[in-house]
Amino acid sequence: DGGITQSPKYLFRKEGQNVTLSCEQNLNHDAMYWYRQDPGQGLRLIYYSQIVNDFQKGDIAEGYSVSREKKESFPLTVTSAQKNPTAFYLCASSSGHPFEQFFGPGTRLTVL
Amino acid sequence: AQRVTQPEKLLSVFKGAPVELKCNYSYSGSPELFWYVQYSRQRLQLLLRHISRESIKGFTADLNKGETSFHLKKPFAQEEDSAMYYCALSGNRETSYDKVIFGPGTSLSVIP
């Protein structure tokens, strides 16, 4: 089963801890994105990367960090600085210009 | 500022009735418009985009630049159309706008 994968499916974290969400794709896409999905707010862009070793902040980057060391991988770290981290996180990829984004299954993060 | 609005959070229609999901946008330039759909327990996926001018699963959407709208329509709703629908926009190929902006989403429920 190819495409874009995210792990884990569910993640629990204690307050004050950093946690890293995994996103991997085998579509040979250059661009990758991280979104946060909250009820009634749609998808909000956290970070995106158009090419390896480069990434840009999205609309809600505070409290998050990313890296793009490999084309296939775009992990997201939710730091303790994120005030309200409990949410559903979606990773996506696209080939160049974002005409069509391919989404992963998502990770649901709960802070206890 | 670039923005996508979907005025209805919830929309219920009877099977066989016409359905219209509204989407309005603000963008300084010529955008690319998309509709994404998320069925229960499935990934978010592209439904259609305005540049393709195609009908997918009986759905169509026309870009009205004068009214800055991109409403999604289907003449006869089916139960399997029940899902969350997101309107989205990005810049066109001639721009360097490399993000996609999503609306808040409309949950469509088709009543048998």
Side-chain angles (χ1 to χ4, degrees):
Chain A
D1 183 26
I4 184 165
T5 59
Q6 292 183 242
S7 61
K9 187 174 182 179
Y10 299 98
L11 190 56
F12 297 88
R13 186 195 93 178
K14 292 182 179 180
E15 279 194 36
Q17 289 181 338
N18 292 354
V19 63
T20 297
L21 283 61
S22 169
C23 178
E24 304 277 333
Q25 54 100 358
N26 63 3
L27 300 169
N28 200 32
H29 285 169
D30 288 315
M32 297 186 74
Y33 308 79
W34 273 106
Y35 294 92
R36 173 178 168 142
Q37 189 178 29
D38 296 286
Q41 298 195 53
L43 278 69
R44 292 182 291 167
L45 183 63
I46 304 173
Y47 268 97
Y48 63 107
S49 168
Q50 296 292 99
I51 196 169
V52 175
N53 292 322
D54 189 40
F55 49 83
Q56 288 79 38
K57 292 182 178 180
D59 301 316
I60 56 166
E62 185 176 349
Y64 300 98
S65 66
V66 294
S67 63
R68 186 85 188 276
E69 297 177 1
K70 297 186 300 182
K71 188 175 185 177
E72 303 78 21
S73 178
F74 191 42
L76 173 74
T77 296
V78 184
T79 75
S80 56
Q82 168 51 231
K83 300 299 181 189
N84 185 22
T86 294
F88 190 62
Y89 291 88
L90 283 171
C91 181
S93 69
S94 69
S95 56
H97 195 87
F99 286 125
E100 178 175 1
Q101 298 205 326
F102 292 83
F103 285 86
T107 293
R108 185 166 298 281
L109 172 65
T110 303
V111 175
L112 304 172
Chain B
Q2 293 80 11
R3 189 179 176 191
V4 177
T5 57
Q6 295 177 251
E8 304 129 335
K9 284 187 178 180
L10 301 170
L11 183 63
S12 294
V13 300
F14 285 101
K15 178 182 175 181
V19 61
E20 180 179 49
L21 289 82
K22 290 182 168 52
C23 172
N24 289 88
Y25 67 90
S26 61
Y27 184 79
S28 54
S30 296
E32 298 284 355
L33 272 296
F34 312 84
W35 277 99
Y36 281 81
V37 61
Q38 190 169 28
Y39 301 103
S40 179
R41 296 191 179 88
Q42 292 188 30
R43 303 184 184 201
L44 189 62
Q45 58 187 293
L46 180 69
L47 179 62
L48 56 81
R49 53 195 187 201
H50 90 274
I51 58 172
S52 300
R53 294 186 173 274
E54 57 196 346
S55 174
I56 303 294
K57 299 184 179 182
F59 284 99
T60 59
D62 291 318
L63 178 59
N64 186 322
K65 292 185 178 181
E67 296 182 359
T68 60
S69 68
F70 188 57
H71 303 327
L72 184 67
K73 301 177 183 180
K74 185 171 182 177
F76 308 104
Q78 303 299 315
E79 290 180 64
E80 55 266 28
D81 296 329
S82 296
M84 192 73 175
Y85 292 82
Y86 293 95
C87 183
L89 74 78
S90 73
N92 61 26
R93 289 183 188 272
E94 284 73 44
T95 71
S96 60
Y97 197 73
D98 51 8
K99 298 187 292 184
V100 176
I101 297 176
F102 286 84
T106 297
S107 178
L108 174 65
S109 177
V110 180
I111 305 164

